[in-house]
Amino acid sequence: LPTNILLIPGDHDIHRDSVKQALRELNNEKTPGYKLNEVKFKNFQRLYMAIKGINFNYENLVFDKIIIDNILILGINSNFYVGQNESDGYLPIEQIDKEILDLSSQNKDKQILIAFHHNISGTHEDKQSGQWILENRKDLIPILQKHNVKCIFHGNEHTPKSLKLISSDIIATDAGALTSIKPDGSFKIYEIINEHDSLKIKNNIFQLRKINAVTETSFGDWITISPSEVSNETEYFELLNNKTDNLIEPVEILSLESVVENQANQDLTPNLIDKVFYNDEETQNKLYAIVKDKKLYHSGHFHWSETSRAHNWIDVSKLLENKEDLYFVKNAMINVIEKFNLNNNCDLIIGLGYEGNIISSKASIKFNIPYTSLPYSYRYNDHDDYEKKLNFDNNGGKYKKVIIMTDVVNDGRTIRKLIAKRADDFFRNVTEIIVVSLFYTGHQEINTDILNYDMLPEDYDFENDHVVNNIQFYTVKSLRVERCPYKKDYKKECFIYKDDLSCVHLFYDENK
């Protein structure tokens, strides 16, 4: 039936010579060609009417929709800037935001998928941004995430693929081109698998295998391709999952005492203890590439406080100055929270430090959790009293589970000081403290328990630390920073500091 068809216009469905001719007319001479929509879509309009039986609504970006069970598929026109000249994909942000909101609010029980022509990611071109205007793409992807769009169907590249957009959970899938000569023709059939506790799409790929005959006309056969055999294909697109057995269950992290006891009673070795940590290689490699390419890993002597000195440093503030990198970092932090369901029953999110405040606010909006921020404990003297106090009264124990989000964690000393000293009135009634950082720069093997006082290594400098043992820790990327080994004697013994062999940065509480 025509109502079950989405007919999506591509850039070649716009007759550019007709637009050029229209621009020669006196009443159009000052009008940008891409705005002459009636002329732009004149020929496509005839095709649309012949197939759909209705006029093509070129005034709206979302011009059509299909509802299948609890899936809403939106047909979107990405040809905004295509006129007498070719153009990459573009969607006016405020307009597309409003149009998707209007439709999603009427279909709150539906999972949203969208379809447009231009490819928003690339594999054939080896260009991550595909054929989409870059500045618009940066703003568009967060809007699609905001509306919980699960999948994008697009064409244009003529190369079949299905990949997750970096810094998001959105799958972008291209079926290829049915009549393509090079690369080979292909098409896809997306099979909806709707079970009582999950909803996913199976990606069925068909490709034309050419046969060059000698005694007769060359021909070919359509064959099925397994997505598992193709590096840039995904077998299933998961839209909804309510299976409790697929969720990451809380893992009991054994204390040192219980490990010793278990070893005696059950001959348990430390290698059998479950290690719980974030492991998304695509995200981690992308983050490391930013640090490497922008040279954000510095060498020298970096001094935060009398108990915190290092010979390396990651300049996170520079990382956050780029809009695209900032989007990526915010989404990476959200990805950690989602992977481990940390937002479940969370009562408050705290952005710790200047950078932590920047990278954590989006998580509060996405998960609809109250939010506040605090300065680093070693920078408290730089702030007025009103900046150092949590504006949340927890005397009654209302806030039981709290997520602290920050940029860098080394050994957790500043976190423990915050909990036990700086904001002890609040945290006294907090039972579950979760720390999520962008980087972990310490030397311990990564696991959720390493920030707890009882889990610190024997050679750790325990002076002026605080006993806190209810912290769960997660990080996006481990990137070791070498601590200054000279402890209190660094002024005399640390040759970098003493002889200015490299850059020497004194932070916050000391002037050279």
Side-chain angles (χ1 to χ4, degrees), residues 253-256 444 449-457 469:
I253 305 300
L254 304 178
S255 66
L256 290 176
Q444 295 197 73
D449 62 350
I450 58 176
L451 300 191
N452 291 313
Y453 185 89
D454 287 348
M455 300 302 293
L456 295 171
N469 286 305

Side-chain angles (χ1 to χ4, degrees), residues 107-132:
N107 299 273
K108 293 182 178 179
D109 60 333
K110 303 292 190 294
Q111 304 300 312
I112 301 176
L113 286 65
I114 63 176
F116 46 60
H117 174 71
H118 289 83
N119 54 308
I120 199 167
S121 64
T123 53
H124 175 68
E125 304 152 309
D126 192 24
K127 183 181 175 186
Q128 186 185 116
S129 59
Q131 291 187 12
W132 203 279

Side-chain angles (χ1 to χ4, degrees), residues 3 5-6 52 62-67 72-75 103 106-107:
T3 53
I5 296 172
L6 280 182
K52 295 281 292 182
V62 183
F63 60 86
D64 200 1
K65 68 180 185 298
I66 291 177
I67 296 178
L72 173 65
I73 308 176
L74 304 179
L103 287 164
Q106 300 169 27
N107 299 273

Side-chain angles (χ1 to χ4, degrees), residues 230-278:
V230 186
S231 61
N232 60 345
E233 287 287 0
T234 303
E235 187 169 5
Y236 291 98
F237 313 153
E238 188 171 82
L239 307 183
L240 183 65
N241 187 353
N242 292 325
K243 292 182 178 180
T244 55
D245 59 350
N246 280 349
L247 301 178
I248 298 177
E249 297 293 338
V251 177
E252 181 183 2
I253 305 300
L254 304 178
S255 66
L256 290 176
E257 292 81 0
S258 59
V259 170
V260 173
E261 182 179 351
N262 282 334
Q263 284 178 322
N265 296 336
Q266 303 175 19
D267 192 28
L268 180 68
T269 64
N271 291 333
L272 295 180
I273 302 172
D274 288 333
K275 297 292 182 182
V276 182
F277 55 89
Y278 177 76

Side-chain angles (χ1 to χ4, degrees), residues 132-235:
W132 203 279
I133 295 175
L134 185 58
E135 289 302 314
N136 182 249
R137 184 183 187 274
K138 294 176 184 178
D139 295 326
L140 177 62
I141 291 176
I143 292 297
L144 301 182
Q145 288 183 281
K146 168 186 169 183
H147 294 296
N148 205 22
V149 171
K150 299 296 178 65
C151 185
I152 299 172
F153 301 107
H154 66 74
N156 197 50
E157 197 176 22
H158 301 180
T159 303
K161 73 156 187 297
S162 55
L163 296 173
K164 183 187 291 187
L165 296 180
I166 290 179
S167 80
S168 82
D169 288 325
I170 302 173
I171 292 288
T173 178
D174 187 334
L178 186 66
T179 59
S180 174
I181 297 175
K182 186 178 182 180
D184 293 338
S186 63
F187 68 92
K188 292 181 179 179
I189 295 176
Y190 300 105
E191 181 183 353
I192 298 173
I193 301 176
N194 194 350
E195 300 173 346
H196 70 282
D197 50 11
S198 70
L199 177 64
K200 57 187 177 182
I201 292 177
K202 185 177 181 182
N203 184 22
N204 297 293
I205 310 166
F206 299 87
Q207 189 175 61
L208 183 62
R209 182 64 54 83
K210 296 173 183 175
I211 300 174
N212 296 318
V214 176
T215 59
E216 56 187 285
T217 304
S218 297
F219 60 96
D221 287 329
W222 288 102
I223 62 171
T224 304
I225 303 294
S226 173
S228 61
E229 298 175 3
V230 186
S231 61
N232 60 345
E233 287 287 0
T234 303
E235 187 169 5

Side-chain angles (χ1 to χ4, degrees), residues 35 74 200 255 287 329 411 511:
K35 289 189 175 182
L74 304 179
K200 57 187 177 182
S255 66
L287 180 58
V329 166
D411 54 25
N511 292 316

